[in-house]
Amino acid sequence: MKELTDESILHLGHMISASEHICLISHMHPDGDAAGSCIGLALFMKEILDRKDVSILTSDRFPGYLSFLTDSQISGNIIFHEEECERAEDAVRKADLIICLDFNSFARAGSLENIIAESRARKILIDHHLNPDTEKFCLVFSETEISSTSELVYHILKRLLPEGKRLNMSSAAALMTGMTTDTNNFANSVFPSTLRMASELIETGVDRDMIIGNLYNRFTENRIRLQGYLLYENLKITDNGIAYMILDRETISRYAVTEGDTEGFVNIPLSIEKVKMSILAKEDTGKIRISIRSKKGVSANRCAAEHFNGGGHELAAGGRLAVPEDIGDISGLEAYILKITKDI
Ligand code: 5GP
Ligand code: MN
């Protein structure tokens, strides 16, 4: 990762201490990195920097598998716009500082997009995605050669720590969680700085066994049965190494799949030697949501940007097709995937 400059850290420190009402906002359909980076930063601002009014906002709720993080002393500060519209909008209206974490353009904030755009608060971006909308922010921490936004927040917090203070354990655990989920438990996007972070956090006393137990050993039976169905009956692989799984509404309701239950499935086909890109499609209301993963040499980001109105990282990206504007319905998706991937 690039060196964080003294100037940017000073600027950030000044903006935080000069602000009364602070909103941390992350992307729609938040994942472990969205939650971990927001919660880690919020707890640091409350416990170390003594900021009293810090809210965390996303358009929709954090997935259930993160309840060990979200049901903590910070739970009262978390607001989901789709569930508590007025409270969320009041918090943004009142804010004198908005920090956007783990997304690169306001559109990724879902229902919060216009509210952020219209706010006159000062805005800071802390993110690790490609192509950030930097001109919308007065201070930008954008780093793509890093595991996660949680890792970036960790390096920033180390520099923000007042003399003689240690990082608080609750922030440390949240940041370890976000880094762990975004690297798929150290399988992808691991840099020397990532291992340094992990090592320092374990040294500090972060209970990694507790985090791993919560993230990977608390699945529902339905999730594992759905995984079995997808891999055994649903997965298709083309001759040119494109794997795809299409999860329609009927299957989603048969397995009672909730948000977060399909986390990680898209990675599994990449373990097959001939597979160079894997696509998971999920039918949703008025849209089909797409997750893409690829091996080095094939760009998941390009596929998401060119064919699915999305983006992300070079090897891990996502997007969506609007129904019926982009595609008639899910029955046409297989032909669409075959068409767009035939020359990869
Ligand atoms: P996932 O497949 O885990 O949902 O997302 C993989 C990566 O792609 C994440 O970094 C995520 O932020 C990004 N991503 C997912 N969906 C979208 C989307 O609709 N638009 C953009 N620009 N990025 C997305
Ligand atoms: Mn992330």
Side-chain angles (χ1 to χ4, degrees):
M1 65 172 276
K2 295 188 295 282
E3 188 76 11
L4 296 162
T5 65
D6 290 342
E7 193 194 353
S8 63
I9 296 291
L10 264 175
H11 193 180
L12 175 65
H14 282 144
M15 277 202 270
I16 293 174
S17 54
S19 303
E20 288 283 312
H21 306 288
I22 303 174
C23 283
L24 308 185
I25 302 183
S26 196
H27 56 82
M28 62 174 145
H29 308 311
D31 57 5
D33 193 29
S37 58
C38 284
I39 293 172
L41 179 55
L43 288 166
F44 182 89
M45 291 202 284
K46 288 179 84 66
E47 294 176 15
I48 305 283
L49 303 181
D50 203 28
R51 297 290 84 198
K52 305 276 184 258
D53 183 12
V54 181
S55 303
I56 296 173
L57 288 96
T58 49
S59 60
D60 50 319
R61 67 174 35 245
F62 292 137
Y65 69 88
L66 295 173
S67 60
F68 71 101
L69 263 195
T70 54
D71 294 352
S72 61
Q73 70 264 44
I74 201 72
S75 62
N77 303 62
I78 302 176
I79 314 172
F80 305 120
H81 181 229
E82 289 174 3
E83 296 177 21
E84 292 187 272
C85 188
E86 294 234 333
R87 191 174 157 225
E89 293 180 15
D90 273 353
V92 178
R93 245 192 305 276
K94 223 170 48 180
D96 38 21
L97 179 64
I98 292 178
I99 307 183
C100 294
L101 293 119
D102 200 36
F103 65 101
N104 54 3
S105 80
F106 294 161
R108 294 276 299 132
S111 62
L112 288 165
E113 175 181 0
N114 294 334
I115 305 161
I116 309 173
E118 284 158 16
S119 163
R120 314 224 3 215
R122 284 180 294 180
K123 292 168 197 153
I124 299 174
L125 178 70
I126 306 180
D127 180 48
H128 69 133
H129 291 91
L130 299 165
N131 313 315
D133 252 347
T134 51
E135 75 284 2
K136 303 272 172 57
F137 300 90
C138 60
L139 179 62
V140 172
F141 295 89
S142 166
E143 171 65 63
T144 54
E145 298 286 297
I146 199 164
S147 65
S148 54
T149 301
S150 295
E151 184 190 329
L152 184 52
V153 169
Y154 172 70
H155 298 302
I156 293 170
L157 295 191
K158 264 183 35 176
R159 299 280 297 275
L160 273 183
L161 264 177
E163 188 87 25
K165 289 253 188 188
R166 288 160 56 99
L167 182 63
N168 49 319
M169 287 302 293
S170 53
S171 289
L175 299 175
M176 177 72 106
T177 302
M179 179 271 281
T180 300
T181 58
D182 249 31
T183 58
N184 196 10
N185 202 8
F186 293 96
N188 323 110
S189 311
V190 173
F191 294 83
S193 59
T194 317
L195 294 173
R196 269 198 296 277
M197 167 191 182
S199 158
E200 288 167 9
L201 286 181
I202 291 171
E203 220 155 41
T204 313
V206 166
D207 186 351
R208 202 176 139 72
D209 291 344
M210 175 282 286
I211 293 172
I212 296 299
N214 273 296
L215 288 176
Y216 301 115
N217 296 328
R218 257 187 56 210
F219 292 131
T220 60
E221 180 179 341
N222 270 4
R223 173 188 151 110
I224 301 303
R225 301 219 179 263
L226 172 64
Q227 182 175 344
Y229 157 77
L230 281 173
L231 297 179
Y232 190 63
E233 283 188 44
N234 188 294
L235 171 67
K236 296 210 176 125
I237 304 172
T238 66
D239 289 342
N240 62 333
I242 308 298
Y244 57 93
M245 297 179 278
I246 300 177
L247 196 45
D248 60 19
R249 208 189 300 274
E250 191 261 316
T251 311
I252 289 172
S253 85
R254 178 154 36 103
Y255 288 93
V257 181
T258 57
E259 192 61 45
D261 270 346
T262 53
E263 187 74 27
F265 286 172
V266 65
N267 294 299
I268 301 172
L270 283 188
S271 61
I272 300 166
E273 186 175 13
K274 73 171 182 175
V275 170
K276 46 194 187 192
M277 186 160 87
S278 168
I279 300 176
L280 173 68
K282 270 195 290 185
E283 190 175 14
D284 201 341
T285 313
K287 62 181 181 249
I288 299 169
R289 286 165 56 189
I290 305 288
S291 280
I292 309 175
R293 301 291 184 272
S294 58
K295 286 182 183 156
K296 235 181 171 146
V298 175
S299 175
N301 180 59
R302 211 168 89 195
C303 182
E306 287 180 359
H307 306 295
F308 295 108
N309 310 305
H313 313 286
E314 186 60 11
L315 305 181
R320 67 204 39 242
L321 291 174
V323 178
E325 295 83 352
D326 296 327
I327 191 159
D329 66 35
I330 194 138
S331 64
L333 185 61
E334 180 165 19
Y336 182 74
I337 290 174
L338 292 174
K339 185 177 83 174
I340 60 164
T341 59
K342 73 177 182 336
D343 296 323
I344 290 177

